[in-house]
Amino acid sequence: MPALWWGVLLLISAVLAWALTTLHLPAGVLLGCMLAGILLSSRDIRLGVPRPLFALAQGVLGCLMAQSLQPATLARVAADWPLFLGATVSIIAASAGLGWFLMRRQVFPGTTAVWGLAPGAASAMVLMAEAYGADVRLVAFMQYLRVAVVTAVAALVAHFWTIQTAPPIAHEVHWFSVLHTGNLGWTLVLAFAVSSLARWLKIPGGAMVLPLILGAALQAMGLLVIELPPALLAVSYAVIGWSIGLRFTPSILWHALRALPAVLGSILALMGVGVAIAVGLNQWAGYDPLTAYLASSPGGADSVAIIAATSAVDAGFVMAMQLARFLMVLVWGPRVSQFIARQSRTDP
């Protein structure tokens, strides 16, 4: 009875999202819906977010990220390109090294670890893994567990850091407030039309990346003012949270149970590399610790973007860094994983 279970999912999600938001936890709606999805999927209740709806939510999130990429932020990114390149390459190299180590230690069959630890573009990595003979179930488990763990930890870090630096102040949220209906209309056209086109063209990650790039360009040229009401953002956060949580099926969890300590260990090691990069960004580039941490966090670009948008950080820098890593992983991640896979076949 899918309709009944969707009602249960909505109820649990609403309760958890309200509780986490009341606690001033960043991305409370995202985390609440993700936890609700995990709770139901772990009970063998099979629900799935329709792909068109997920693409539309990604389009809205792409517009949100574009809104933070003001011309001043883009100019700073261009000036600090070695910083972006170094941080991104470090994360990719660390994930490849950890995957190779786990593969050589035979913790996972074949090249599963290499594909499972690639930091970003989870769906693309799962598809590529199947083509190279890896265990797709374990790859999917590692990818989505990494996103869930990194998202939860990043939200907690942002929450406690905010409390220590400046206690959160409750603000009344006007959920359906619209400053200019024309701006909202063009923003919706950008989010929905471009994300739908990207999905139709089957561009990996295009549902978020294309609205992001086009929106940032139009905004920089003064042709578009991006407007996103809180209610629209909340619905998009919920859809993305469900898309993460509902992937944890009992069969995947049971299959990966024996490898769970190694999976968590590798995820924590990758997060440790992100922390080291954040320390460098703080000490050498002068970014505040929370901004540096979120920028170097090896989670999903969409979930980290939501946390940054609901925290007191330099959201433009965080989203620019996440976008740079996402695009590089999308382009070079499969090539790096293929290279290590080929090397493993030739090693004695």
Side-chain angles (χ1 to χ4, degrees):
M1 302 177 63
L4 174 62
W5 287 117
W6 271 110
V8 174
L9 177 63
L10 289 172
L11 178 60
I12 298 175
S13 300
V15 172
L16 292 177
W18 173 82
L20 295 176
T21 303
T22 302
L23 294 173
H24 302 288
L25 197 65
V29 175
L30 169 74
L31 290 177
C33 294
M34 183 180 73
L35 292 174
I38 293 175
L39 179 63
L40 263 66
S41 63
S42 65
R43 307 295 296 178
D44 204 16
I45 299 169
R46 299 184 180 181
L47 298 175
V49 176
R51 291 185 178 181
L53 183 60
F54 181 49
L56 296 182
Q58 287 183 305
V60 171
L61 188 58
C63 291
L64 174 65
M65 297 176 71
Q67 190 178 40
S68 298
L69 295 178
Q70 298 293 332
T73 302
L74 295 175
R76 186 176 57 185
V77 170
D80 293 339
W81 68 266
L83 183 70
F84 283 78
L85 182 62
T88 302
V89 170
S90 297
I91 286 289
I92 295 177
S95 66
L98 285 169
W100 177 84
F101 175 77
L102 294 177
M103 180 182 63
R104 298 297 295 171
R105 299 279 296 181
Q106 297 183 346
V107 175
F108 302 103
T111 58
T112 298
V114 177
W115 300 102
L117 284 177
S123 57
M125 293 300 106
V126 172
L127 294 176
M128 293 294 296
E130 186 175 15
Y132 271 76
D135 190 323
V136 179
R137 293 172 297 177
L138 273 176
V139 172
F141 173 77
M142 293 176 68
Q143 284 286 343
Y144 299 125
L145 181 63
R146 173 182 58 82
V147 172
V149 170
V150 172
T151 299
V153 171
L156 291 173
V157 169
H159 172 63
F160 289 112
W161 179 267
T162 302
I163 289 179
Q164 292 177 1
T165 55
I169 301 175
H171 295 283
E172 183 180 357
V173 179
H174 301 282
W175 291 101
F176 299 98
S177 62
V178 177
L179 298 178
H180 193 285
T181 56
N183 293 336
L184 174 60
W186 285 113
T187 301
L188 293 177
V189 169
L190 174 66
F192 296 164
V194 177
S195 63
S196 299
L197 177 63
R199 188 177 66 88
W200 181 69
L201 295 175
K202 298 181 179 179
I203 301 174
M208 182 181 71
V209 174
L210 289 187
L212 193 165
I213 295 175
L214 184 57
L218 293 174
Q219 181 177 250
M221 292 185 292
L223 300 177
L224 175 67
V225 176
I226 297 175
E227 182 162 350
L228 297 166
L232 178 62
L233 290 175
V235 172
S236 301
Y237 297 167
V239 170
I240 293 173
W242 290 328
S243 70
I244 297 173
L246 292 173
R247 299 176 193 266
F248 289 87
T249 62
S251 59
I252 293 177
L253 293 173
W254 178 254
H255 185 77
L257 183 61
R258 294 175 61 183
L260 183 60
V263 174
L264 288 176
S266 61
I267 292 173
L268 293 177
L270 191 60
M271 292 172 64
V273 174
V275 171
I277 294 174
V279 171
L281 292 174
N282 173 249
Q283 295 295 321
W284 299 324
Y287 292 99
D288 68 90
L290 183 56
T291 294
Y293 175 77
L294 292 179
S296 59
S297 181
D302 48 5
S303 55
V304 174
I306 294 172
I307 296 172
T310 54
S311 305
V313 298
D314 187 345
F317 176 76
V318 172
M319 294 182 184
M321 182 70 81
Q322 288 289 330
L323 174 62
R325 180 179 59 79
F326 179 83
L327 293 177
M328 188 167 289
V329 168
L330 197 63
V331 174
W332 293 104
R335 291 175 173 81
V336 171
S337 300
Q338 289 173 13
F339 174 76
I340 296 177
R342 293 192 189 99
Q343 291 298 112
S344 69
R345 295 175 180 175
T346 59
D347 287 343

